[in-house]
């Protein structure tokens, strides 16, 4: 019977591990082919042609929305990993608890068999019926010990059973959270794909010359923002030097220059923005949160005037983008889909604040 229960418990853990090991969602290397645009209704007036700058702003907004959805996807993925690990831990604890119950039941059975061999009388009854005073005195302590052992055995069985009930309840709760986060991942993935597809559709409708002009407008806007940021005198007196770990993080991040941005990616062949910063600091021996929003929320904040290489610069009011400061007013980051890891001006986007992983 014990062997059968142990086998059943082992199968429970194996099944849990098998289910949890399966990937939640595969990360696409690129968006799916774009569907053709629907034809205009007959007789409908043609939509006014957008200026190239309007197209640029629309594309930027779509990629920004995709970045927000990517953060939601990454957070759900991290929570799924944590809950999966917790379920495995609980499954193992349930197995151990069942094995302990079996051992305690075996001890109780041994006590019952011993009582049967003594004529079916409990030790207390045999103790009272003896007419030997010396035996009475010799067995007094032994009887008390035996009664205590029996009480302890029953109490231990009760505690273990209560623990098993709690473990099972916690495992059920974590399964519910796990499935909820898998739903969040699927919704975020759908949103990301839709925003990227819409942005690429806009880009696909441009001629080669317009695409090049679009790139020039992007660079001009980044240069304008960087120049305005530097014009505030932000770098005056900025003398913070990188620590040994900070140097390691910067070296790792800059070594990834040229690798493509892929949402949800953590390397080694591609990265999203927070995947790059997390991996860089991981290479320096510091574990930091997965998403840009969590990095902003949980890591210590520093004033820009105290910034040093290795610090992370968080962008936009919703903390949807992040890069690593490398010194001289520059940062390295994974920009967006269709772009590669690169160096850019630290002030080329709207800065929310700076955090320090150490």
């Amino acid at each position: 019977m014990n062997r059968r229960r142990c086998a059943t418990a082992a199968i429970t853990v194996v099944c849990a591990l098998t289910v949890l090991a399966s990937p939640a969602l595969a990360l696409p290397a690129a968006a799916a082919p774009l569907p053709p645009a629907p034809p205009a209704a007959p007789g409908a007036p043609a939509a006014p042609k957008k200026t190239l700058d309007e197209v640029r702003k629309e594309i930027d907004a779509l990629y920004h929305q995709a970045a927000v959805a990517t953060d939601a996807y990454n957070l759900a993925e991290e929570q799924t990993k944590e809950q999966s690990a917790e379920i495995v831990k609980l499954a193992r604890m349930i197995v151990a608890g069942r094995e302990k119950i079996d051992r305690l039941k075996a001890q109780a059975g041994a006590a019952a068999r011993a009582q049967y061999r003594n004529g079916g009388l409990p030790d207390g009854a045999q103790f009272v019926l003896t007419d030997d005073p010396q035996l009475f005195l010799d067995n007094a302590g032994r009887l008390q010990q035996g009664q205590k052992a029996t009480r302890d055995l029953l109490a231990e069985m009760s505690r273990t059973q209560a623990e098993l009930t709690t473990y099972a309840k916690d495992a059920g709760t974590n399964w519910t959270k796990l499935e909820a986060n898998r739903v969040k991942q699927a919704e975020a993935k759908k949103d990301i794909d839709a925003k990227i597809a819409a942005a690429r559709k806009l880009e696909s409708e441009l001629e080669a010359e317009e695409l090049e002009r679009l790139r020039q407008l992007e660079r001009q806007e980044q240069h304008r923002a960087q120049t305005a940021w530097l014009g505030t005198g932000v770098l005056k007196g900025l003398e913070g030097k990188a620590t040994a770990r900070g140097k390691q993080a910067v070296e790792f991040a800059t070594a990834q220059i040229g690798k493509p941005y892929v949402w949800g990616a953590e390397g080694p062949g591609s990265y999203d923005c927070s995947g790059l910063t997390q991996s860089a600091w991981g290479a320096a021996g510091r574990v930091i949160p997965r998403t840009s929003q969590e990095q902003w929320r949980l890591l210590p904040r520093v004033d820009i005037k105290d910034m040093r290489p290795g610090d992370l610069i968080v962008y936009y009011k919703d903390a949807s983008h992040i890069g690593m400061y490398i010194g001289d007013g520059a940062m390295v980051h994974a920009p967006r889909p269709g772009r590669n890891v690169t160096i850019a001006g630290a002030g080329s986007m709207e800065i929310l604040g700076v955090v320090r992983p150490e």
Side-chain angles (χ1 to χ4, degrees), residues 1-327:
M1 181 66 71
N2 291 344
R3 185 176 299 172
R4 183 179 303 168
R5 287 176 178 168
C6 288
T8 302
I11 290 170
T12 301
V13 176
V14 170
C15 290
L17 291 171
T18 302
V19 172
L20 296 171
S22 61
L25 288 169
L27 295 177
L34 298 173
K49 186 174 176 61
K50 298 175 183 176
T51 67
L52 205 53
D53 197 50
E54 288 173 335
V55 172
R56 178 188 65 80
K57 290 178 180 177
E58 189 172 348
I59 289 172
D60 285 349
L62 287 167
Y63 280 125
H64 179 85
Q65 292 164 19
V68 174
T70 297
D71 242 26
Y73 177 93
N74 289 336
L75 180 59
E77 184 178 45
E78 279 298 290
Q79 291 173 338
T80 295
K81 290 177 182 176
E82 291 172 3
Q83 286 148 7
S84 296
E86 185 63 24
I87 291 170
V88 171
K89 178 183 175 183
L90 288 168
R92 288 172 176 157
M93 292 169 74
I94 288 171
V95 171
R98 287 175 178 169
E99 291 173 347
K100 186 175 181 180
I101 286 286
D102 287 342
R103 289 195 301 271
L104 292 172
K105 285 182 178 179
Q107 292 177 31
R113 288 192 295 274
Q115 178 177 312
Y116 178 78
R117 288 194 298 270
N118 289 333
L121 291 174
D123 290 339
Q126 294 183 44
F127 173 59
V128 171
L129 292 175
T130 183
D131 55 1
D132 184 339
Q134 186 60 47
L135 182 61
F136 187 96
L137 294 173
D138 291 344
N139 287 342
R142 194 178 306 154
L143 175 61
Q144 290 177 343
Q145 291 175 357
Q147 289 174 337
K148 182 178 183 302
T150 301
R151 288 195 302 271
D152 290 347
L153 176 63
L154 294 174
E156 185 68 14
M157 289 181 67
S158 178
R159 281 196 301 270
T160 303
Q161 191 60 55
E163 287 173 353
L164 284 175
T165 301
T166 300
Y167 297 157
K169 181 180 178 181
D170 289 346
T173 300
N174 276 283
W175 272 114
T176 301
K177 291 179 180 178
L178 184 69
E179 291 307 309
N181 276 306
R182 283 177 171 163
V183 170
K184 289 180 183 177
Q185 280 182 273
E187 291 173 348
K189 178 181 183 299
K190 183 178 179 181
D191 194 19
I192 294 165
D193 287 340
K195 301 303 182 187
I196 293 175
R200 287 181 173 171
K201 182 177 183 300
L202 285 172
E203 291 174 329
S204 71
E205 293 170 350
L206 299 175
E207 300 292 338
E209 291 181 1
E210 291 176 314
L211 281 173
E212 178 55 34
R213 176 62 182 153
L214 187 69
R215 286 288 190 106
Q216 290 178 5
L217 288 174
E218 289 177 1
R219 290 191 290 267
Q220 287 172 6
E221 176 58 25
Q222 291 167 2
H223 178 73
R224 183 203 63 75
Q226 175 74 356
T227 301
W229 182 66
L230 293 176
T232 64
V234 65
L235 296 186
K236 292 179 180 178
L238 192 64
E239 298 177 354
K241 295 183 179 180
T243 62
R245 276 189 172 182
K247 288 179 181 178
Q248 284 182 288
V250 169
E251 287 171 1
F252 180 94
T254 53
Q256 312 313 308
I257 290 174
K259 293 183 179 180
Y261 176 107
V262 173
W263 65 264
E266 305 171 43
S270 57
Y271 296 89
D272 62 18
C273 66
S274 57
L276 176 64
T277 54
Q278 184 194 47
S279 296
W281 271 102
R286 176 76 168 90
V287 177
I288 65 173
R290 173 63 181 89
T291 72
S292 60
Q293 292 174 347
E294 289 294 281
Q295 290 172 14
W296 169 245
R297 186 172 71 88
L298 297 175
L299 295 178
R301 298 181 186 180
V302 297
D303 196 288
I304 290 180
K305 65 181 178 58
D306 299 319
M307 186 169 56
R308 67 190 186 200
D311 287 347
L312 306 180
I313 306 177
V314 185
Y315 294 96
Y316 306 116
K317 290 182 176 64
D318 54 9
S320 57
H321 190 70
I322 195 164
M324 179 180 291
Y325 184 64
I326 60 174

